[in-house]
């Protein structure tokens, strides 16, 4: 099976990183096309042995990109086109239809009121639904997203839930990694460190975490990630008088910054105060690192069956004053002293290998053929050919 993955951009982000990890576990020949921004994840994919092409799209209405993409699909001999993120789903489905190729789309970031951090307008929704009918199936990364798609009018028979996945072993806590990360960031070994990971954008509400840490004398904050809110968040830390105990680590694993497992190792409590999430991958990664987690809406936890919610996960319930509620929760965690928790069994639901098998089942359903047997190879050079 030969699959072309089409994604809006390949800068560092959740959907982009998930695509890279997923391709390591798909028994298929996979190429990638990015419409814009062939950033750090593109280089990572190439180092994995994946062929990556940049379509050079100049904006949302660059219609000249459409025939270029359709020709690429047609001439590449692909059995399937798999699209990721809103713009790529719109253009990719149309291009696949023009080329006579079946397509699947993964919906990574559909919220109640936003898609990919942008407000959902009537026009956005209409265009999404019109092009959704051109595809063969839509993959939701959580049951919550599947429900939103059904509420939009996407037929239930076209929706397949394939949760995001992680390699849990990569996040296992290591004391040496903790000490090295704290030394790199200039954080005292005995400090109580609150942390967050993600794009620094308004919807993640890192300002709430900043205000909560400011109310805890002596507590430190580590934010791993970058984005348009980096400047405003630094300014807020200054106004709150806590700039000296806040560390902005930058993009994980880029330009000397610690990678995600190292950043998590340096933390004592993980906070995700997002306004809404379509999955909550960072929360699952933190749980895999044995961290207590304080979170807002998070389908990865909220969608779990009763009795399977991890003991170390605390849900924020006060939208009117989340910073005050978060301060109280963090104060209790600090009083309990630094400790690591057993990795909850719920993390097994999000094993990347299981997600890969589920996705191959979707491919087989769309193409009307049995799913290929899973591969056990772990090296890019022997896993599959991309050229």
């Amino acid at each position: 099976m030969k699959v072309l993955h089409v994604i809006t951009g390949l800068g560092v982000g959740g959907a982009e990183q998930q695509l890279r990890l997923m391709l390591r576990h798909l028994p298929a020949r996979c190429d990638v096309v990015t419409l814009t921004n062939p950033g750090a994840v593109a280089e990572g994919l190439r180092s994995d042995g994946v062929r990556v092409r940049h379509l050079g799209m100049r904006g949302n209405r660059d219609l000249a990109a459409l025939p270029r993409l359709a020709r690429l699909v047609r001439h590449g001999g692909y059995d399937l086109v798999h699209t990721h993120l809103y713009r790529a789903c719109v253009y990719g489905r149309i291009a696949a239809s023009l080329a006579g190729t079946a397509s699947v789309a993964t919906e990574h970031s559909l919220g109640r009121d936003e898609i990919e951090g942008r407000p959902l307008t009537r026009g956005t929704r209409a265009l999404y639904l019109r092009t959704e009918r051109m595809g063969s199936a839509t993959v939701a990364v959580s049951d919550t997203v599947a429900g939103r798609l059904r509420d939009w009018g996407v037929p239930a028979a076209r929706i397949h839930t394939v949760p995001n996945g992680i390699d849990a072993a990569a996040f296992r806590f290591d004391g040496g990694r903790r000490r090295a990360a704290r030394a790199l960031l200039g954080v005292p070994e005995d400090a109580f460190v609150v942390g967050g990971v993600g794009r620094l954008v308004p919807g993640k509400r890192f300002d709430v975490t900043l205000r909560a840490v400011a109310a805890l004398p002596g507590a430190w904050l580590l934010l791993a990630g970058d984005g348009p809110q980096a400047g405003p968040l630094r300014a807020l830390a200054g106004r709150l008088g806590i700039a000296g105990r806040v560390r902005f680590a930058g993009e994980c694993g880029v330009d000397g910054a610690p990678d995600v497992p190292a950043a998590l190792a340096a933390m004592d409590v993980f906070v995700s105060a997002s306004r809404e999430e379509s999955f909550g991958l960072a929360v699952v990664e933190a749980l895999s690192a044995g961290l207590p987690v304080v979170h807002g809406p998070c389908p990865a936890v909220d969608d779990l069956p009763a009795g399977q919610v991890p003991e170390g996960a605390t849900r924020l319930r006060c939208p009117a004053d989340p910073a005050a509620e978060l301060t109280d929760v963090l104060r209790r965690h600090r009083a309990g002293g630094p400790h690591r928790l057993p990795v909850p069994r719920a993390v097994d639901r999000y094993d990347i290998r299981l997600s890969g098998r589920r996705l191959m089942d979707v491919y087989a359903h769309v193409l009307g053929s049995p799913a290929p047997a899973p591969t056990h190879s772990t090296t890019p050079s022997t896993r599959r050919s991309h050229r």
Side-chain angles (χ1 to χ4, degrees):
M1 183 186 300
K2 189 176 182 183
V3 183
L4 178 66
H5 292 264
V6 182
I7 190 165
T8 299
L10 283 171
V12 177
E16 295 84 355
Q17 296 279 36
Q18 182 66 191
L19 173 61
R20 182 185 177 190
L21 183 60
M22 182 65 81
L23 292 192
R24 295 174 178 172
H25 298 276
L26 287 183
R29 298 171 59 200
C30 296
D31 295 339
V32 174
V33 169
T34 180
L35 303 186
T36 62
N37 185 24
V41 178
E43 293 308 310
L45 284 164
R46 290 187 178 110
S47 71
D48 292 344
V50 179
R51 184 179 187 180
V52 180
R53 301 184 186 185
H54 179 210
L55 198 65
M57 193 171 179
R58 294 186 298 273
N60 287 341
R61 298 183 181 182
D62 182 7
L63 298 180
L66 189 55
R68 295 202 305 272
L69 183 56
R71 284 195 299 271
L72 195 154
V73 174
R74 188 181 300 113
H75 296 158
Y78 296 102
D79 301 296
L80 189 70
V81 172
H82 188 161
T83 62
H84 308 263
L85 300 177
Y86 179 80
R87 194 193 313 181
C89 287
V90 169
Y91 278 80
R93 284 168 172 148
I94 297 172
S97 179
L98 291 172
T101 303
S103 66
V104 170
T106 292
E107 184 44 66
H108 293 271
S109 54
L110 176 63
R112 293 185 304 272
D113 305 307
E114 297 180 344
I115 188 165
E116 297 173 29
R118 301 179 183 88
L120 271 171
T121 65
R122 183 177 299 179
T124 298
R125 179 171 170 173
L127 183 58
Y128 183 98
L129 290 173
R130 185 173 300 175
T131 57
E132 195 279 336
R133 300 185 189 102
M134 296 181 176
S136 303
T138 295
V139 172
V141 298
S142 66
D143 290 338
T144 293
V145 170
R148 290 169 183 163
L149 288 167
R150 288 193 297 271
D151 291 344
W152 273 28
V154 178
R158 294 172 57 83
I159 302 170
H160 304 260
T161 301
V162 178
N164 283 330
I166 68 166
D167 183 356
F171 298 94
R172 188 176 296 124
F173 176 72
D174 178 88
R177 185 157 56 188
R178 174 186 177 88
R179 289 188 293 274
R182 288 197 169 198
L184 175 67
L185 295 164
V187 176
E189 285 192 26
D190 60 350
F192 173 70
V193 178
V194 179
V197 175
R199 285 270 295 160
L200 304 186
V201 294
K204 297 292 186 181
R205 296 204 305 183
F206 288 116
D207 60 309
V208 170
T209 309
L210 267 170
R211 295 180 189 281
V213 169
L216 294 172
W220 287 62
L221 176 61
L222 168 57
L223 294 181
D226 203 356
Q229 284 290 297
L233 289 170
R234 288 177 185 273
L236 177 60
R239 292 196 300 274
L240 293 171
I242 59 170
R245 49 190 175 100
V246 177
R247 292 293 181 267
F248 291 88
E251 293 287 11
C252 289
V254 177
D255 296 330
D259 60 14
V260 175
L264 293 174
M267 301 173 189
D268 294 305
V269 179
F270 183 87
V271 175
S272 173
S274 298
R275 186 180 302 111
E276 63 177 6
E277 290 280 359
S278 55
F279 181 74
L281 193 64
V283 167
V284 179
E285 293 170 346
L287 290 169
S288 299
L291 279 168
V293 169
V294 187
H295 66 92
C298 177
V301 175
D302 297 340
D303 291 350
L304 290 170
Q308 292 189 25
V309 175
E311 181 180 350
T314 303
R315 179 72 145 83
L316 293 172
R317 302 286 182 181
C318 183
D321 193 358
E325 181 186 10
L326 178 56
T327 300
D328 290 340
V329 175
L330 293 177
R331 186 177 289 115
R332 291 196 297 271
H333 278 295
R334 184 167 66 173
H339 62 284
R340 238 53 185 189
L341 301 170
V343 178
R345 294 182 62 184
V347 168
D348 293 341
R349 296 170 59 94
Y350 304 124
D351 184 277
I352 188 62
R353 298 157 192 84
L354 177 58
S355 296
R357 291 196 293 272
R358 287 172 170 166
L359 186 56
M360 291 305 300
D361 287 342
V362 176
Y363 289 176
H365 172 77
V366 167
L367 297 175
S369 59
T375 177
H376 300 287
S377 172
T378 58
T379 58
S381 60
T382 59
R383 184 171 59 249
R384 58 186 183 269
S385 171
H386 299 279
R387 301 184 188 279

